[in-house]
Every structure is written in C-alpha cells, then in structure tokens.
Amino acid sequence: MAYDPNNIFARILRGEIPNRTVYEDDFVLAFHDINPQAPTHVLVIPKGAYTDLADFSARASAEEVTGFFRAVAKIADQLGIVAPGFRALCNTGTDAHQEVPHFHLHLFAGKPLGPMLAR
C-alpha cells in the first residue's frame, strides 16, 4: 500500500479536516473516532508519513517509535482506561481491513470488549 498524502489522517494533521483532539505532542495526534466501536474509541496517529505498522517499524526513527508508544500509554492513562482495561489495535494491510493508508492505532475501552476476533 503506497502512502497517499491526501488520506484523511494526513489532511487532519495539516488542519484541513477538524477533529476532536484528545492529545498531541511532537510525535502523535490522538482524536476521537467519528464512528466509535466502543464507548471510548480514540485513534492515535504518528505525525510522520507511514502507511502501516510494518512501514513505521522499518522507517521511523527510534525516537519516533518510542515517542509513539509512550504517547499511547500516556493517553490511556489520561483517559482513565488503564485500570479497567483497554484494547490497542493496529490493522495492517487488506486482510486486516486497514481502511486508511496512514499508520494508526485504535484505543478501545469503556465496556467489556469480548473476544479479539469475530468467530
């Protein structure tokens, strides 16, 4: 999957599309999903142009990778979802139904989430 600089997340990062920001730092932007699948559903995206987790892992600097995952933990803590539990999910590629070609992580929480995969 090639990176599309006009994907919705790139446009959000450029301020062309509004979002409900939860957290932002030098490495990430986190915002509420417009089609939530749980009471808490936040998307965390890196500020760099990476298509998916494989691309991010291969090309991002160590500082970007560390900053991203530390931000995910900080966001979960700020949302108050660490103690009751949350799910962090990255879809990579077509078989996983990745919809936007910009690496992103979903944070789900706020209710018992059930099994990892539909049966």
Side-chain angles (χ1 to χ4, degrees):
M1 181 181 303
Y3 188 80
D4 175 5
N6 290 312
N7 75 69
I8 191 167
F9 294 161
R11 294 180 66 208
I12 287 170
L13 283 169
R14 291 194 299 266
E16 296 170 6
I17 297 174
N19 72 89
R20 294 186 320 154
T21 299
V22 170
Y23 177 83
E24 184 172 12
D25 66 17
D26 292 341
F27 302 104
V28 307
L29 175 66
F31 51 91
H32 291 281
D33 193 294
I34 61 168
N35 185 26
Q37 303 300 304
T40 299
H41 185 174
V42 170
L43 297 170
V44 184
I45 63 173
K47 291 192 171 176
Y50 304 103
T51 57
D52 55 31
L53 180 58
D55 183 37
F56 182 69
S57 298
R59 295 191 314 107
S61 69
E63 186 178 34
E64 287 174 294
V65 173
T66 300
F68 182 87
F69 286 103
R70 285 191 174 155
V72 169
K74 185 174 186 176
I75 294 159
D77 185 54
Q78 287 181 351
L79 291 170
I81 60 175
V82 174
F86 66 94
R87 181 170 295 155
L89 174 79
C90 299
N91 295 314
T92 298
T94 55
D95 281 358
H97 296 276
Q98 181 180 358
E99 296 177 0
V100 179
H102 186 110
F103 171 52
H104 56 288
L105 182 142
H106 298 259
L107 285 176
F108 301 105
K111 70 175 186 177
L113 297 171
M116 283 290 295
L117 299 172
R119 297 189 193 274

